[in-house]
Amino acid sequence: MSSVLSFKIAARDAAARRGLLSTPHGVVETPAFLPVGTQGAVKGLLHRDLHEVGASIILANTYHLYLRPGDDLIARLGGLHRFIGWEGPIVTDSGGYQAFSLSAKRTVREEGITFHSHLDGSLHDLTPEKAVEIQTRLGSDLAAVLDECLAYPASGADARVSMARTLRWAARARRAFLSRPADAINPGQAQFGVVQGGVFPDLRRESAEATVAIGFEGYAIGGLSVGEPPDVMYEMIDVTAERLPEGRPRHLMGAGTPRDLVEAVSRGMDLFDCVLPTRNARNGQLFTSEGRLNIKNARYAEDPQPADPACTCYTCGHFSRAYLRHLFMAGEIAAASLNTLHNLHFYLDTMRRIREAISLGSLETLRQAVRQAYSPRSLDS
Amino acid sequence: MSSVLSFKIAARDAAARRGLLSTPHGVVETPAFLPVGTQGAVKGLLHRDLHEVGASIILANTYHLYLRPGDDLIARLGGLHRFIGWEGPIVTDSGGYQAFSLSAKRTVREEGITFHSHLDGSLHDLTPEKAVEIQTRLGSDLAAVLDECLAYPASGADARVSMARTLRWAARARRAFLSRPADAINPGQAQFGVVQGGVFPDLRRESAEATVAIGFEGYAIGGLSVGEPPDVMYEMIDVTAERLPEGRPRHLMGAGTPRDLVEAVSRGMDLFDCVLPTRNARNGQLFTSEGRLNIKNARYAEDPQPADPACTCYTCGHFSRAYLRHLFMAGEIAAASLNTLHNLHFYLDTMRRIREAISLGSLETLRQAVRQAYSPRSLDS
């Protein structure tokens, strides 16, 4: 069984690439931002709202779906696309990150990860092979290999041990992927290798080269955006991206801020997923063209302006900061929905502008503008 | 200042009427169901979703908006329509019902109600005059007079005392309404008198006649759907409606089930508001053409059917019972949104069918069908 994934680069601006990623469930313009639908839904929105803001591809979490409702149930109902009613491309992570971050007790051995469910404490094993099996049953379009996610900061010695294990897991995951059953739910599924190595350039280079040597349809960078300074993250992207093959898509996992997106694109990354726009929306923080805006602030109590006067989303076209603040203070569900709609519109619109800038050769200008809006002097930060 | 409210009856079927209610913010086809936007938003939905399911008029709660964000703030921002971004008609209640039901400590005197805020315990007075002033500042299209809401059951003696006080309050409210300032936010606002009298036919008749004698643009029936058996409620509607003037709209406040709606329409009622479709949606209960469906039930865990195969709403057109159950069990916001969208679609569609049946003279057939679906033998009840 081979993947139907294809990736064509349409334009370049220095290290940045604009491309078209073809998946079994449709074509995605890159660079692209993937809203996170942890449990098969993007929190605060309906699928049609995602279409409206221009999201063509989403990410779902293997850990959550494995625990509830279960990958077997999803497979019996025809796979994740049919189960959740999303016809576009879906990326799944391996479940490893959540097994590390959500489980109170987990053990890492050569075989894999043993963890207790954050829902009911039940004990589970997650091996490289099992992560492939679960994602095969989910039938996502892009599946990630199981990697070990080290807490930040970690010593160079710990990071080396962990990086080496992630490589052995990647080889096992690739073998398991290549021997999937012929009647898999999504026969065109692609597999991404995940580069680790902490904040150590030599480890990142070694991980990138060895992961590429195994050979995957695409490559992800894991273990960043976990607390390290932005400049360290950007350096790790630099040293990794230059060792990844030109013709394969590159996914920066779990990042980031609007500035992270444009900085990573400038360094050659293509795909991004992050809970920041959705989670912050539910906490009342809006991303705007002038920086972050905290709708809780008393100064917005009688402000008749839209959240972002430059924005064309439904929220900004119909509602004032005063109303958004009222909804937030009153705990109304509409606060989560309207804020999320705006934030994702902002993120997806930023990606549109990034793609245009690459075609126009003006990404550096956009990078400076985003950096300015998201400096410490911006609106409410 | 006089109201621009007009009400034209277009068709009749026995005691039922189909009509057109013209308000300063648009025309409403009656009988109509008003989704409840307690704090200026219908829980779980955006305004555009309301338009989609055919809601042309909503109800907002004076008590909640008075306490937060405050009627003064709303007035400074141009009134409730502008503040919440809803351009259609809005009905407001008087705040009395919530002062009785939400406040742990409240006292009723001839002057009015003294209550403690359920938000911060602060002390407030609500008089007939103040309820008019608050609603004048909100600028709703239909404003209700302050009434005393008696708990069920109450003795005939208590109900008589309370009913008589409500009548004295109604006269004061009417005087206050007629002397509103010339620069009121919604000069075309109309005022509804509220008939009380508990479950006592003679008190209901007396209250109706005396309320009509004061003279209002429309009439509401209050104090029902508070725990009395359905047949008692229907009897109270019978004895009240026959004493209300033909040419004025009639609002049954706080009701009800699908069966209540068709039974009340059959008895001559025109307007309805109730939290049942929205609150039950958030608790996982769906109203369907075959009766109530509790999406929590394990039997739906792998059910690929839509909630109601006969339904044309977005939820039923795109998602399975299995997915809706998963979203509910996982506590996803989308569960509230999709369930609410369906339930309000069902309610608004029921009202459409009721209006058509009145024009066709077939309301009795529809009444029997609704009664059948919502009998104790229906789906999950």
Side-chain angles (χ1 to χ4, degrees):
Chain A
M1 266 164 80
S2 65
S3 167
V4 302
L5 195 79
S6 88
F7 181 61
K8 294 199 168 46
I9 294 176
R12 289 174 196 277
D13 183 359
R17 319 105 65 79
R18 179 177 185 168
L20 284 177
L21 179 68
S22 298
T23 79
H25 287 87
V27 176
V28 178
E29 286 202 87
T30 65
F33 181 81
L34 288 60
V36 178
T38 298
Q39 306 189 103
V42 172
K43 290 184 199 305
L45 293 190
L46 303 181
H47 293 348
R48 62 183 184 186
D49 302 321
L50 292 172
H51 296 306
E52 179 184 289
V53 299
S56 55
I57 177 169
I58 61 173
L59 180 134
N61 291 122
T62 292
Y63 170 92
H64 288 89
L65 294 170
Y66 158 73
L67 288 179
R68 182 176 58 193
D71 47 301
D72 285 330
L73 184 150
I74 291 173
R76 284 195 295 274
L77 287 167
L80 190 57
H81 292 83
R82 186 178 298 180
F83 177 63
I84 72 170
W86 174 263
E87 293 171 3
I90 302 176
V91 174
T92 46
D93 55 12
S94 69
Y97 182 78
Q98 281 76 25
F100 282 98
S101 62
L102 291 181
S103 175
K105 291 185 286 185
R106 71 311 187 259
T107 317
V108 183
R109 296 197 189 80
E110 184 61 24
E111 179 60 18
I113 309 167
T114 302
F115 67 93
H116 291 270
S117 161
H118 75 294
L119 296 176
D120 61 6
S122 57
L123 195 66
H124 299 266
D125 290 314
L126 186 61
T127 64
E129 293 80 7
K130 187 164 175 185
V132 169
E133 286 162 21
I134 296 170
Q135 293 176 85
T136 299
R137 280 192 283 270
L138 296 178
S140 54
D141 297 287
L142 311 180
V145 300
L146 185 68
D147 57 336
E148 182 175 351
C149 303
L150 220 53
Y152 175 84
S155 71
D158 286 350
R160 169 164 291 284
V161 168
S162 171
M163 184 272 283
R165 179 156 45 210
T166 288
L167 281 175
R168 293 190 297 276
W169 284 1
R172 287 166 53 190
R174 189 62 181 170
R175 281 195 296 277
F177 178 80
L178 294 176
S179 59
R180 285 172 302 149
D183 60 348
I185 280 171
N186 186 357
Q189 188 181 51
Q191 190 181 39
F192 274 41
V194 182
V195 175
Q196 287 285 351
V199 295
F200 305 97
D202 56 331
L203 297 184
R204 286 278 168 187
R205 286 189 198 100
E206 190 177 330
S207 174
E209 286 171 3
T211 305
V212 171
I214 297 172
F216 293 92
E217 285 78 31
Y219 297 91
I221 303 184
L224 292 180
S225 202
V226 293
E228 76 284 1
D231 287 341
V232 171
M233 175 164 89
Y234 304 151
E235 186 197 350
M236 294 304 113
I237 297 171
D238 266 333
V239 302
T240 303
E242 65 189 17
R243 275 163 180 78
L244 297 177
E246 271 292 303
R248 301 288 188 179
R250 303 164 181 171
H251 183 168
L252 178 60
M253 298 183 85
T257 65
R259 187 180 161 211
D260 291 343
L261 300 184
V262 68
E263 295 287 354
V265 166
S266 300
R267 289 165 170 83
M269 300 303 293
D270 308 302
L271 300 172
F272 306 90
D273 74 277
C274 192
V275 296
L276 206 59
T278 42
R279 179 178 293 164
N280 287 23
R282 298 196 303 283
N283 293 329
Q285 188 181 76
L286 298 169
F287 291 93
T288 79
S289 55
E290 294 172 31
R292 298 175 197 237
L293 183 156
N294 282 308
I295 202 68
K296 292 185 285 288
N297 280 358
R299 61 196 266 209
Y300 300 126
E302 301 201 20
D303 190 337
Q305 295 182 88
D308 184 351
C311 179
T312 60
C313 82
Y314 173 70
T315 303
C316 290
H318 291 80
F319 306 104
S320 65
R321 292 171 178 174
Y323 181 58
L324 294 178
R325 180 175 190 273
H326 164 65
L327 292 177
F328 185 86
M329 302 305 283
E332 284 287 328
I333 298 176
S337 298
L338 290 173
N339 293 351
T340 303
L341 197 59
H342 168 79
N343 275 359
L344 278 184
H345 182 276
F346 181 80
Y347 263 64
L348 274 293
D349 191 56
T350 298
M351 298 314 293
R352 268 191 294 270
R353 292 164 62 216
I354 285 175
R355 290 194 297 271
E356 283 172 20
I358 294 172
S359 293
L360 296 169
S362 61
L363 187 62
E364 179 57 22
T365 310
L366 179 58
R367 193 174 73 89
Q368 296 296 346
V370 171
R371 203 167 177 155
Q372 176 81 18
Y374 284 85
S375 76
R377 291 175 307 283
S378 78
L379 273 182
D380 287 335
S381 60
Chain B
M1 266 167 79
S2 66
S3 166
V4 302
L5 195 80
S6 87
F7 181 62
K8 292 199 170 45
I9 295 176
R12 291 174 194 275
D13 184 358
R17 316 106 64 80
R18 179 176 185 168
L20 284 178
L21 180 67
S22 299
T23 80
H25 287 85
V27 176
V28 178
E29 285 201 88
T30 65
F33 181 80
L34 288 61
V36 178
T38 299
Q39 307 189 102
V42 172
K43 291 186 198 305
L45 292 191
L46 303 179
H47 293 348
R48 62 183 184 185
D49 302 321
L50 292 172
H51 296 307
E52 180 185 290
V53 298
S56 56
I57 176 170
I58 60 173
L59 180 134
N61 290 122
T62 291
Y63 170 93
H64 288 89
L65 294 169
Y66 158 73
L67 289 179
R68 181 175 60 194
D71 48 300
D72 286 329
L73 184 150
I74 291 173
R76 284 194 296 274
L77 287 166
L80 189 58
H81 293 85
R82 186 178 297 179
F83 177 63
I84 72 171
W86 174 262
E87 293 171 4
I90 301 176
V91 174
T92 45
D93 55 13
S94 69
Y97 181 78
Q98 281 76 27
F100 282 98
S101 61
L102 292 180
S103 176
K105 290 185 287 185
R106 64 328 185 245
T107 317
V108 183
R109 296 197 189 80
E110 183 61 24
E111 180 60 18
I113 309 167
T114 303
F115 67 93
H116 291 270
S117 161
H118 75 294
L119 296 175
D120 61 7
S122 57
L123 194 66
H124 299 267
D125 289 314
L126 186 61
T127 64
E129 293 80 8
K130 187 163 176 188
V132 169
E133 286 162 21
I134 297 170
Q135 292 177 85
T136 299
R137 280 192 283 270
L138 297 178
S140 54
D141 297 288
L142 310 181
V145 300
L146 185 68
D147 57 337
E148 182 175 350
C149 303
L150 219 54
Y152 175 84
S155 71
D158 286 351
R160 169 164 291 283
V161 168
S162 172
M163 184 273 281
R165 179 154 48 209
T166 289
L167 280 176
R168 293 191 295 275
W169 285 1
R172 286 166 54 189
R174 189 62 181 171
R175 281 196 295 276
F177 179 80
L178 293 177
S179 59
R180 286 172 302 148
D183 61 348
I185 280 170
N186 186 356
Q189 188 180 51
Q191 191 181 40
F192 274 40
V194 182
V195 175
Q196 288 284 353
V199 294
F200 305 98
D202 56 330
L203 297 185
R204 287 279 168 188
R205 286 189 198 101
E206 188 177 331
S207 175
E209 286 171 4
T211 305
V212 171
I214 297 172
F216 293 94
E217 285 78 30
Y219 297 90
I221 303 184
L224 293 181
S225 203
V226 292
E228 76 285 2
D231 287 341
V232 172
M233 175 164 89
Y234 304 152
E235 186 197 350
M236 294 304 114
I237 297 170
D238 266 333
V239 301
T240 304
E242 65 188 18
R243 276 163 179 77
L244 298 177
E246 273 291 303
R248 302 288 188 178
R250 304 165 181 172
H251 183 168
L252 177 60
M253 298 184 85
T257 64
R259 188 181 159 209
D260 290 343
L261 300 183
V262 69
E263 296 287 353
V265 166
S266 300
R267 290 165 170 82
M269 300 304 294
D270 308 302
L271 300 172
F272 305 90
D273 73 276
C274 192
V275 296
L276 206 61
T278 43
R279 179 177 292 164
N280 287 22
R282 299 196 303 285
N283 293 330
Q285 188 180 77
L286 298 169
F287 291 93
T288 79
S289 56
E290 295 172 29
R292 299 176 196 236
L293 182 156
N294 283 308
I295 202 68
K296 292 186 286 289
N297 280 357
R299 62 195 265 207
Y300 300 126
E302 301 201 20
D303 190 337
Q305 295 181 87
D308 184 351
C311 178
T312 61
C313 82
Y314 173 70
T315 302
C316 290
H318 291 79
F319 306 104
S320 64
R321 292 172 179 175
Y323 181 58
L324 295 179
R325 180 175 188 274
H326 165 63
L327 293 176
F328 185 85
M329 301 306 283
E332 285 286 329
I333 298 176
S337 298
L338 291 172
N339 293 351
T340 303
L341 197 58
H342 168 77
N343 275 359
L344 278 183
H345 182 276
F346 181 80
Y347 263 64
L348 274 294
D349 191 56
T350 299
M351 298 314 293
R352 268 190 294 270
R353 291 163 62 216
I354 284 175
R355 291 193 297 270
E356 283 171 19
I358 294 172
S359 292
L360 296 170
S362 62
L363 187 62
E364 180 56 24
T365 309
L366 179 58
R367 192 174 74 89
Q368 295 296 345
V370 171
R371 203 167 177 155
Q372 175 81 16
Y374 285 85
S375 75
R377 292 174 308 282
S378 79
L379 272 182
D380 287 337
S381 59

